[in-house]
Amino acid sequence: MTSARRGGNPARPGLAGLAGLLLIVELLPRLRLVNDRFLPPTSRIAAALADEVSTSTFWHSLGETLYAWAIGLVVAVVAGVLAGLVIGSVPLLRALTASTVEFLRPIPSVALIPLAVLLYGTQLGSTLLLVCYAAFWQVLVQVLYGVADVDPVAEETARSFRFSAWGRVRHVLWPTALPYVFTGFRLAASVALVLTVTAELVIGAPGLGKEIATAQNSDAVATMYALIVVTGALGVVINLLTRTGERRLLAWHQSVRGEVTV
Amino acid sequence: MDVLKKIGSAVALPVLLFAGWFLLSDGSASFYAPPLRQILTAFADTWQPERLRADVAPSLLRLLAGFLVAALIGVGLGVAVGLNRRLRAVLEPVLEFFRAIPPPVLVPVIMLFAGIGDGMKVIVIVFGCVWPILLNTVEGVRAVDSVVLDTARAYGVTGPARLTRVILPSASPQIAAGLRQALSIAIILMVISEMFASSNGLGFAVVQFQRSFAIPEMWSGIILLGLLGFALSLVFRLAERWALRWYEGLRATRRRAG
């Protein structure tokens, strides 16, 4: 998928596409095709964005969102990797937990919203509960795939050379599972953002999502759009960073497996 | 014997967890974590047939409608974008941006346009689900083996046959991955859109229980949502396995050969 992007100058038509989108959003309300109370023109959204960016509330909310996202993600990744390595490397545990994982994973994390509200109200804890729950499974499942992917010959060779249990984890298991860990991390990072913003929006925990809800309630439609654009941009940045990070850190590893499609 | 062992290991932990929850919570005086016995009673009392018809059926119908519309739009547009190189280059960043927006923030936007009726909820689901389907279809169509394409052309397979016999089947594993992703987004959006503004539906009912501090009923709603999520993903997986059985077989042979 990268070779096609590298050929020619791939950025220019893409920029044209983005410019086209901005132009359409500017023209639709101006030509009265859409009521401008529902969709304000690009210029007004941009003005609202500029207004927002100059307030300290905005930066504070952005900070709150990123903080909740980062903590939730770190907790989920650490827990997911540890649980994945332990469960994955003990066949008995794996057989015992398989059905439970398969059952718990598809439970929509938003089902936990009422519980989070009761337990933590509109505090950070509510957001973290949802974020950790949703992101944990992404990591766990990928790590389980990764551990299952260990080459039996390498594993048996390590055993013949009397690697200690730790040595086998460090030199055989971990390098094999690493690309899967990264895939899990990338998936978890975007899921965590979705759940952070959702929790803020629905529960009212502090952050960008809450600001969107406030803008909606006070009929500040342009501000609402501006904030939504910010969450989208945040998502794009997180995607780019995790993808580039993955490619850089696993440059030595890329050839080992094809891109996991999820 | 092997089958028995498999069933045993699949059932052991859930049974253990369930029994543990039941026994440990039995004497629970905590307001928020009532005994499981009480939750189960509440489950049986709450989710009676008329309640299922009034709250669960509308939720599921909206989910299904939104998902199907999103699948049609996503695959349709995805094939068009995937086959046209210039269109793809122009649209890619825009699509990536739309996919990166956390879908639940669309709820307030779509409420502006469509009010708070069924239409709003279906549109929210469509809008949230369409991006993973669309982008995966684009990727799938793009990755169609060029030898296969050339062979098809050499044999004069053109027009609709080229689409239904060559392109869609080759892209279908990717499309299925997109649909699977979209399904879990659809469930999330179904619940969220009902929590926001609704007078019926599963999400609405659960929030209503929480606000009126009907804790065992709330737990029963959470369990029902969990069961629903599990059941939907199971149905999807079975459907996927049936539709892509040729692909699983192909992959298994390749793995054995490789």
Side-chain angles (χ1 to χ4, degrees):
Chain A
M1 71 185 255
T2 42
S3 60
R5 277 187 198 154
R6 264 180 218 143
N9 185 349
R12 206 173 298 155
L15 285 180
L18 281 177
L21 177 70
L22 295 179
L23 192 69
I24 289 173
V25 174
E26 176 77 32
L27 287 180
L28 279 180
R30 293 252 181 244
L31 297 175
R32 306 246 169 258
L33 292 170
V34 179
N35 190 332
D36 66 352
R37 282 198 6 251
F38 296 163
L39 178 70
T42 311
S43 50
R44 235 190 295 156
I45 297 177
L49 183 61
D51 276 348
E52 276 297 306
V53 173
S54 63
T55 61
S56 62
T57 331
F58 169 78
W59 293 105
H60 193 69
S61 314
L62 182 63
E64 301 257 28
T65 297
L66 286 177
Y67 182 68
W69 169 78
I71 296 199
L73 182 61
V74 168
V75 172
V77 168
V78 170
V81 168
L82 287 180
L85 288 181
V86 171
I87 293 174
S89 45
V90 182
L92 180 68
L93 269 182
R94 200 184 163 96
L96 281 178
T97 52
S99 61
T100 312
V101 170
E102 281 307 303
F103 178 73
L104 289 178
R105 188 167 63 124
I107 293 181
S109 47
V110 284
L112 299 177
I113 286 180
L115 186 65
V117 173
L118 282 184
L119 291 179
Y120 302 104
T122 57
Q123 306 290 311
L124 181 65
S126 285
T127 313
L128 287 183
L129 179 69
L130 297 185
V131 172
C132 291
Y133 186 84
F136 172 75
W137 300 109
Q138 305 284 344
V139 183
L140 177 71
V141 170
Q142 287 299 326
V143 175
L144 286 179
Y145 283 143
V147 175
D149 199 33
V150 166
D151 183 358
V153 177
E155 170 73 13
E156 277 153 27
T157 312
R159 273 179 200 274
S160 315
F161 278 97
R162 297 212 175 155
F163 276 39
S164 63
W166 168 245
R168 285 205 306 276
V169 170
R170 171 75 192 77
H171 296 288
V172 180
L173 200 60
W174 182 244
T176 312
L178 199 56
Y180 293 88
V181 173
F182 269 94
T183 307
F185 179 80
R186 180 158 51 81
L187 296 175
S190 39
V191 167
L193 180 72
V194 171
L195 265 297
T196 311
V197 176
T198 305
E200 291 163 358
L201 185 71
V202 178
I203 301 176
L208 285 177
K210 189 186 175 189
E211 295 300 312
I212 293 176
T214 315
Q216 183 216 0
N217 289 332
S218 52
D219 228 10
V221 178
T223 313
M224 184 177 88
Y225 275 99
L227 289 168
I228 290 174
V229 170
V230 172
T231 58
L234 214 55
V236 170
V237 169
I238 288 174
N239 272 346
L240 281 180
L241 283 181
T242 46
R243 263 190 222 168
T244 351
E246 189 181 10
R247 218 172 306 143
R248 285 264 166 85
L249 290 168
L250 290 178
W252 55 278
H253 213 308
Q254 274 289 314
S255 57
V256 177
R257 56 164 194 135
E259 179 75 31
V260 176
T261 48
V262 182
Chain B
M1 196 61 218
D2 239 22
V3 178
L4 274 183
K5 215 168 158 189
K6 231 178 215 166
I7 293 176
S9 64
V11 170
L13 188 63
V15 167
L16 211 68
L17 287 175
F18 198 76
W21 185 6
F22 196 94
L23 293 177
L24 286 179
S25 70
D26 208 21
S28 161
S30 158
F31 182 64
Y32 294 142
L36 184 56
R37 190 198 300 271
Q38 216 172 316
I39 297 174
L40 290 178
T41 326
F43 192 98
D45 289 345
T46 309
W47 305 107
Q48 298 281 343
E50 69 258 42
R51 181 110 210 186
L52 291 178
R53 209 170 315 128
D55 277 330
V56 181
S59 290
L60 280 178
L61 283 179
R62 290 190 286 246
L63 175 90
L64 220 64
F67 185 71
L68 287 180
V69 173
L72 282 179
I73 299 179
V75 173
L77 279 181
V79 170
V81 175
L83 287 178
N84 186 330
R85 209 167 147 178
R86 187 160 305 156
L87 197 60
R88 204 168 64 215
V90 171
L91 286 183
E92 203 158 41
V94 176
L95 296 179
E96 286 286 342
F97 174 74
F98 273 113
R99 174 160 67 171
I101 295 179
V105 306
L106 299 170
V107 178
V109 175
I110 291 167
M111 265 169 75
L112 281 176
F113 286 94
I116 56 172
D118 280 345
M120 176 276 265
K121 283 153 204 139
V122 174
I123 296 175
V124 164
I125 295 174
V126 171
F127 226 84
C129 289
V130 81
W131 311 112
I133 304 176
L134 177 59
L135 284 159
N136 271 290
T137 307
V138 171
E139 284 291 317
V141 169
R142 193 156 87 171
V144 175
D145 192 347
S146 56
V147 177
V148 173
L149 281 181
D150 290 345
T151 312
R153 192 169 297 146
Y155 277 103
V157 181
T158 50
R162 187 172 148 87
L163 191 65
T164 54
R165 302 264 162 168
V166 183
I167 293 169
L168 281 179
S170 314
S172 55
Q174 275 272 36
I175 296 176
L179 288 173
R180 194 176 335 117
Q181 236 176 315
L183 183 64
S184 51
I185 296 179
I187 299 173
I188 291 182
L189 288 177
M190 172 192 92
V191 177
I192 299 269
S193 64
E194 290 168 358
M195 284 179 171
F196 246 83
S198 191
S199 52
N200 64 7
L202 203 45
F204 169 75
V206 175
V207 167
Q208 207 59 21
F209 289 140
Q210 174 239 318
R211 289 198 182 135
S212 53
F213 290 97
I215 304 302
E217 283 79 7
M218 179 197 89
W219 273 101
S220 79
I222 294 179
I223 292 177
L224 185 63
L225 269 177
L227 287 174
L228 200 67
F230 177 69
L232 282 173
S233 82
L234 197 70
V235 169
F236 183 85
R237 240 195 356 215
L238 290 178
E240 185 187 9
R241 196 174 295 168
W242 178 79
L244 295 181
R245 55 195 185 279
W246 60 273
Y247 175 69
E248 298 293 334
L250 186 71
R251 219 166 48 166
T253 351
R254 271 199 199 143
R255 204 172 281 163
R256 237 174 289 138

